[in-house]
Each structure stands twice: as C-alpha cells, then as structure tokens.
Amino acid sequence: MADIIRDAPIGQLIRFVTRNRVLQYPEEEPGFQLPESYNTALNSSVPVPIKEKTLDSEYPSRNESEANLPPSLLERKQTSETIRSVNSRDDLEVALTRTKSREDTQQWTEDRLQIERELSLERSKSIPLAPTKTRDGNILVDWYTTDDPANPQNWSNRKRGFVALIICFYTFAVYSGSAIYTSSTFEVMSVFNVGQISASLPLALYVLAYGIGPLFFSPLSEIPLIGRGPVYAATFSLFFILSIPTALAKSFAGLLVLRFLQGFLGSPCLATGGASMQDMYSMLKVPYAMTFWVSAAYCGPALGPLLSGFAVPVKGWRWSLWEIVWISAPALILMLFFLPETSTPNILLRRAARLRKLTGDNRLMAHSEITQKDLKPSAVAIDALIKPLEITIKDPAIAFVNIYSSIVYAIYYSFFEVFPLVYGPMYGFNIGQIGVIFLCVLVACLIGIATYTSYLYFYLIPDINAHGMRAQEHRLVPALICVFGPVIGLFLFAWTANPSIHWIASVIGITIYAAAAFVVFQCIFVYVPMSYPNYAASLFASNDFFRSSLACAAILFAKPLFDNLGVARGTSLLGGLSVLGVLGMWALWLMGAKLRARSKFAVA
C-alpha cells in the first residue's frame, strides 16, 4: 500500500514538500546497491550489449534483423543470446542477458503476442536485465529484473484490479454528470425563462466538451515528462472545484459556460482511461479490462436520470448538480491518494533521474529523453488535430467507423429527449419513474458484458493461443450479428410506444438496441488499433470528438424531430439510418483487407 500512496498524486506532493525525504524510492534509500549490470555498463569501455541496438527505426517489423531494433525502456524479453563484458574495476567477467522490449513491437501483432508469452513465463523468476549502452555512450535505464515491481505489467492482480476500479469509478462519475442534469430541464425552463431546446444546452455542451477534451489531453498524457497521473489529478480536481459554482449558478449564461468547462475538464477519463488499462494488462487480458471500463462510461449517462429523478422534484433543479459534487468527491479522494502512475516511459524517466542523482553520471538516461528531446509542440499538435482528420477523409474504413459510431451514440443521447415524450404523456410516469426506465440500459450493458466476455473466453483467446493472430477483420465477427440489434430495437421501440401496448414492450426494444450497440462498440474499438497502430491514440480521440459532436446535435434536434414526425416515425427514421450501419459493417468485413492494402495509414 505504501508504494501506491507514494506513486499517487498526494504522495508525489508529499515528496516534493519534504524534498524526497518521505516516501522514498529504493534508489533514494540508504544502502541501495546499483545492480551489477549497471556498474558493468558504466565502467566498461565497450558498449553493452556488444551487438548494439540503434535508435533509427521507430517501428520494427518481423523481417527486420535484431540489430536494427530500437532500444527500449519498457518491459524486456530475454533472448537466447548471452554476451560477456568486462568490468574494468576487477576484470571480473559478467554475463549479461540481451533483451527485447514489448514496445519494440507494434501492439496487437503476432510479435507482441509472442513477447508477452515469454514475459509471462519470466515473471515467475527474478532474472536480472542488462541495460543497453548506445554508440554515443549513454546507458538506457530499464527495469532491473523481469519481475521488477515498478513495472505496471508486474503488479499483482489485486493491485491492478484496484487501480482499474478507481479509473472506472472516475469514468462513471464524469459520464453520469452529463445526463444527471436532464431531470432539471423543466424547472430550468421556468427559472431562467428559456425554451426546452435552450434548457437542453447544459447537457449538450457538456457532451460536446468531453469530446473536445481528448484532442488536447490524450497527447499531453503521452508525453513522458508529464505522464497520466498529473493530467488525471489536475483536471479532475478542477472538475470538482467547478462543480460547486455550477450548482450555484445565478444566470443561464453562467450555467452554460460552467457546464462546458465541466465536460472539458472531465474528459481525460475518456482520453486516457483505456491507455491506463493497456499500461497494466497484456494483450490477451486488456480486452476484459476495457470491457468493464467501457461499461462504466456506457452506464453513466443512463443512470444519471435515475440518481436525480426522484430528488429534483422535491429539492429543486440545483439538486442534480450538487449530486455531481457528491459523486465526484469520493472518486477524487481515491484518485489523489491511491491512483499510481501507469505510464512506463514516465516511470523510467523518473528512475533515470534518480540514478543520475545517485551516481552523478549523466550517461544514465531514459529512452524517451533521447527520442523526444527534439520533439516540437507543433508536431504534437499536428498528430493530435490534423492527422485524424486527414485519415478520416482519405480512409473509407475510418470514415465508416466514425460515422456509424457517431450515429449510434447520437441515438443513445436522443433517448433523453424521447423518453419524457413517451413515458410521461402515454403512460403517466413521473420524472423519477422515467429515470427508472433507464435501468434497461444497465441491464443491456450486463447482457453485453456477458456476451462479449464469453466470446473472449470461450472462442477468441483459445483461437489466438491455437492459431496466432488472425486478420483484423476477424475481430468484427460478433459485430456482424449484433449490428442488426440497433435496427431491431429501434423499430420495436418505435411501434410499441403506444398507450394501447404495455410499456415493457418498448423497454425491451431499447434493451436490445443498447446491448447490441455495446458489443458493436467493443469490436470497433479493437479493430481500429489493430489496423492503424501508428495512429491509434489520435484516431480514438477524433472518434470521441465525432461521436460527442453528433450526440450534442442529437440532444438539440431530437425534440423538434419527434414533435414534427411523432415518436413512431421519428424513431423509425433513426432505425433506417441504422440499416446503413448494417451494410457498412458487412462491407468492412468483406473488403477490409483490400481497403487496408490500399491505405497508406493502415497495417495490411
């Protein structure tokens, strides 16, 4: 527990205030002995390993020779070669293991899979790992041993599960903060004398803002000097602080501005939560972690109206906004005290700084200090803002993924406008009871989790273990079936939302829609990084932006849509748009390999 607190934001603050005299790392404790392999590298006149790795290639392929692989500061794989080097102090020969990193390979590839299998076996032993010495004499700081406890991949299941739970709670708090406001809409109309579309703006702007935020915070958290923890802690602290004046807003304009800032500052959970899961879990295990993280984001908006629906009619419209404060407070406390840094480049960069201070030798450097020393902010901005747009325009597969996921997400948020039109006037539900209807999304999420994890456990992972990684389109197989669900669910809701038909029929339609959409999203979110590993982070951020932008619009156009067309025809129109998604998903499965072969961005 001490190491969790030390690596958490509050622990880092204590270290700063006490000048690192409290909550020390092993390198700072009296009696720390530098690993023998580092002493050998520092005192040897020859590079270690003798057969050097270069920093020239950014991404290796399976056909590249091992000599051309880039050195890494991340988890390393032992190879069959052992090299010998001379310790100049006493001429003692020391056998050093030449190693290869997880990050020397692209994610979601056969190479990564093989390395992780080797690493899984090596964690049961404590094998010293030799650092790499570059041609210019720098020694690249890495993990000390194969079971180094500082490596997030080596954390116990209990510790990783605890950290993942905090991230999921944080994500739920931010996402529930969007739709929790919907129960206050009618009273806001009365208090500020605005129309219903205007009264929906606090929800719409919140959703838009947490789509814009990832474009800025995602690349920021990938900078090794910053890492993920400071981005989480700083933005969520501001989110919590701003939630108080939001609940006290005296003008409608002030409410709009503060809700936008709330969404923007809450967005790092969307931008970086998945990356934190990938920091901790191997390629075969991370889909499970991602499933539960996505479920927290998926259920948050649905449970928001339930959390506020019964209280707002009694306590007033501000009550829903105060509930955001109460939900985010425990999430913030857990984050500040118990959420350690998971970014491997950041962890090793700070280790390198401690070793330089300990030894006084400036040759001890982190890999990121070398590869990113000339990184310009303009390059980061282009990769984050321009490149995703370019890929979306030029690549049909990504264009379809962004358009289809945006439509599904927009329909999801249109529920917050159509439910009051159906279950209030047609069935006589009050605001609290309408909030209870959203529990069907929670049920759908549980069905989706059970379906997708069963697919992983009983089919996909055994198939990978037996046959290796298949083509990327293989991951779309569950979506080929589930893509029909949104169409079926929407038409069922459209034509059973009628006072003459029991309300449970329309609820079943929404449940089918939400469960199927959950599985489709899981398949898409794996297909994208497998096909476009070099641009995965930017593409996810742009997908968040597209989804949130259309969802923002849907919140505003849903009421006029259903007022003019009626619930049946309006929802049928949305169901018709979902049919295009069926055609697109099957086309992507059939022609995806050809599209990737023609794309300059994808991996064939």
Side-chain angles (χ1 to χ4, degrees):
M1 183 61 72
D3 60 329
I4 291 182
I5 297 175
R6 179 193 63 202
D7 291 330
I10 197 69
Q12 293 299 303
L13 179 61
I14 292 172
R15 282 174 49 79
F16 176 77
V17 171
T18 63
R19 297 184 179 181
N20 302 334
R21 289 192 292 268
V22 179
L23 298 175
Q24 293 183 326
Y25 286 93
E27 296 86 357
E28 298 167 330
E29 295 175 351
F32 173 78
Q33 296 292 324
L34 193 67
E36 187 60 34
S37 58
Y38 282 80
N39 285 323
T40 299
L42 287 170
N43 293 288
S44 174
S45 59
V46 295
V48 179
I50 294 172
K51 189 176 182 180
E52 299 170 306
K53 301 177 184 178
T54 68
L55 294 170
D56 299 331
S57 60
E58 183 178 0
Y59 292 103
S61 67
R62 298 186 64 178
N63 296 324
E64 290 177 294
S65 66
E66 190 170 297
N68 291 327
L69 291 174
S72 173
L73 289 179
L74 303 179
E75 177 181 358
R76 308 199 295 180
K77 169 186 173 292
Q78 179 182 349
T79 65
S80 59
E81 295 185 41
T82 331
I83 11 193
R84 305 195 66 87
S85 171
V86 177
N87 185 324
S88 60
R89 291 175 299 175
D90 54 11
D91 291 333
L92 176 66
E93 287 192 337
V94 180
L96 296 177
T97 303
R98 188 137 101 36
T99 59
K100 184 178 176 183
S101 164
R102 289 176 73 241
E103 297 302 316
D104 285 341
T105 60
Q106 288 179 340
Q107 198 174 17
W108 305 105
T109 62
E110 186 72 28
D111 286 345
R112 174 66 65 88
L113 178 65
Q114 293 301 325
I115 284 178
E116 289 190 344
R117 283 173 173 168
E118 295 272 351
L119 291 166
S120 179
L121 295 174
E122 289 182 1
R123 288 192 193 104
S124 60
K125 315 167 190 175
S126 185
I127 303 173
L129 296 175
T132 299
K133 190 170 185 178
T134 63
R135 286 193 178 100
D136 57 5
N138 291 319
I139 292 121
L140 300 182
V141 176
D142 208 326
W143 308 122
Y144 296 142
T145 60
T146 53
D147 63 345
D148 193 326
N151 184 353
Q153 292 273 328
N154 290 338
W155 290 351
S156 66
N157 289 333
R158 183 176 179 181
K159 180 176 179 178
R160 285 184 293 185
F162 180 64
V163 172
L165 183 63
I166 294 175
I167 294 173
C168 288
F169 184 24
Y170 161 42
T171 302
F172 174 81
V174 171
Y175 271 80
S176 63
S178 61
I180 204 170
Y181 163 83
T182 56
S183 302
S184 301
T185 301
F186 293 109
E187 192 172 346
V188 166
M189 293 169 58
S190 174
V191 171
F192 293 109
N193 193 27
V194 296
Q196 186 165 349
I197 295 178
S198 296
S200 298
L201 278 172
L203 169 60
L205 290 176
Y206 187 103
V207 173
L208 176 64
Y210 73 50
I212 295 174
L215 296 175
F216 299 92
F217 294 125
S218 182
L220 195 64
S221 67
E222 296 295 335
I223 298 174
L225 190 62
I226 298 174
R228 313 205 194 283
V231 175
Y232 284 146
T235 56
F236 197 49
S237 296
L238 290 173
F239 174 93
F240 174 76
I241 292 170
L242 279 179
S243 295
I244 297 173
T246 302
L248 297 171
K250 297 296 179 62
S251 68
F252 187 65
L255 177 63
L256 295 182
V257 171
L258 289 169
R259 283 287 287 173
F260 180 87
L261 292 175
Q262 264 190 319
F264 184 77
L265 293 169
S267 65
C269 66
L270 180 65
T272 313
S276 294
M277 298 298 181
Q278 292 180 11
D279 290 338
M280 296 185 291
Y281 290 96
S282 66
M283 191 171 72
L284 293 183
K285 299 300 181 183
V286 75
Y288 292 106
M290 293 289 286
T291 298
F292 289 100
W293 172 66
V294 170
S295 69
Y298 203 69
C299 291
L303 295 182
L306 175 63
L307 296 173
S308 62
F310 289 101
V312 166
V314 179
K315 296 292 186 178
W317 70 273
R318 297 182 188 276
W319 196 261
S320 63
L321 301 177
W322 282 116
E323 287 182 340
I324 298 175
V325 178
W326 301 330
I327 294 172
S328 58
L332 179 61
I333 292 172
L334 286 171
M335 174 187 292
L336 294 178
F337 281 88
F338 303 110
L339 185 63
E341 180 60 63
T342 62
S343 170
T344 294
N346 175 269
I347 294 171
L348 291 174
L349 184 143
R350 290 186 286 123
R351 171 177 282 183
R354 294 193 298 271
L355 289 179
R356 286 196 296 269
K357 183 178 180 180
L358 174 70
T359 63
D361 196 319
N362 290 328
R363 290 178 298 164
L364 291 161
M365 299 185 71
H367 183 217
S368 58
E369 291 178 287
I370 298 175
T371 58
Q372 298 193 11
K373 64 180 179 180
D374 297 324
L375 187 65
K376 298 179 180 179
S378 58
V380 175
I382 290 173
D383 281 342
L385 303 176
I386 307 301
K387 184 61 70 175
L389 182 60
E390 178 188 356
I391 297 175
T392 300
I393 294 172
K394 294 182 178 179
D395 196 295
I398 289 299
F400 164 73
V401 166
N402 284 341
I403 292 171
Y404 179 69
S405 60
S406 297
I407 290 173
V408 172
Y409 203 62
I411 294 172
Y412 178 43
Y413 268 93
S414 72
F415 294 160
F416 299 107
E417 300 299 320
V418 73
F419 278 18
L421 299 177
V422 172
Y423 297 104
M426 293 184 184
Y427 297 105
F429 287 16
N430 59 36
I431 294 177
Q433 291 169 328
I434 292 174
V436 174
I437 292 295
F438 282 97
L439 282 175
C440 71
V441 177
L442 175 61
V443 174
C445 188
L446 294 175
I447 294 172
I449 290 173
T451 302
Y452 191 69
T453 55
S454 296
Y455 161 73
L456 293 173
Y457 184 81
F458 293 107
Y459 174 73
L460 183 63
I461 293 178
D463 180 72
I464 291 174
N465 287 331
H467 305 104
M469 299 291 291
R470 296 181 185 265
Q472 290 90 318
E473 286 70 32
H474 188 66
R475 295 297 184 97
L476 296 176
V477 170
L480 298 177
I481 301 171
C482 291
V483 75
F484 291 97
V487 179
I488 296 170
L490 287 172
F491 278 106
L492 182 60
F493 175 82
W495 298 103
T496 59
N498 190 298
S500 62
I501 302 175
H502 195 278
W503 58 265
I504 195 65
S506 59
V507 170
I508 291 174
I510 296 301
T511 304
I512 294 172
Y513 169 88
F518 181 90
V519 176
V520 171
F521 272 129
Q522 294 289 345
C523 296
I524 288 175
F525 289 163
V526 172
Y527 178 80
V528 169
M530 285 185 70
S531 300
Y532 305 84
N534 296 354
Y535 306 100
S538 296
L539 289 176
F540 276 134
S542 67
N543 184 264
D544 294 336
F545 173 71
F546 281 110
R547 284 189 290 116
S548 297
S549 297
L550 193 55
C552 169
I555 293 167
L556 300 178
F557 71 61
K559 180 71 165 54
L561 172 70
F562 294 120
D563 282 345
N564 289 304
L565 295 182
V567 172
R569 286 186 294 175
T571 308
S572 296
L573 174 62
L574 300 177
L577 290 175
S578 298
V579 172
L580 299 177
V582 175
L583 300 176
M585 187 64 68
W586 279 83
L588 185 62
W589 183 66
L590 292 172
M591 298 186 295
K594 293 180 180 178
L595 292 174
R596 284 187 286 107
R598 295 165 54 187
S599 172
K600 68 177 183 178
F601 306 107
V603 173

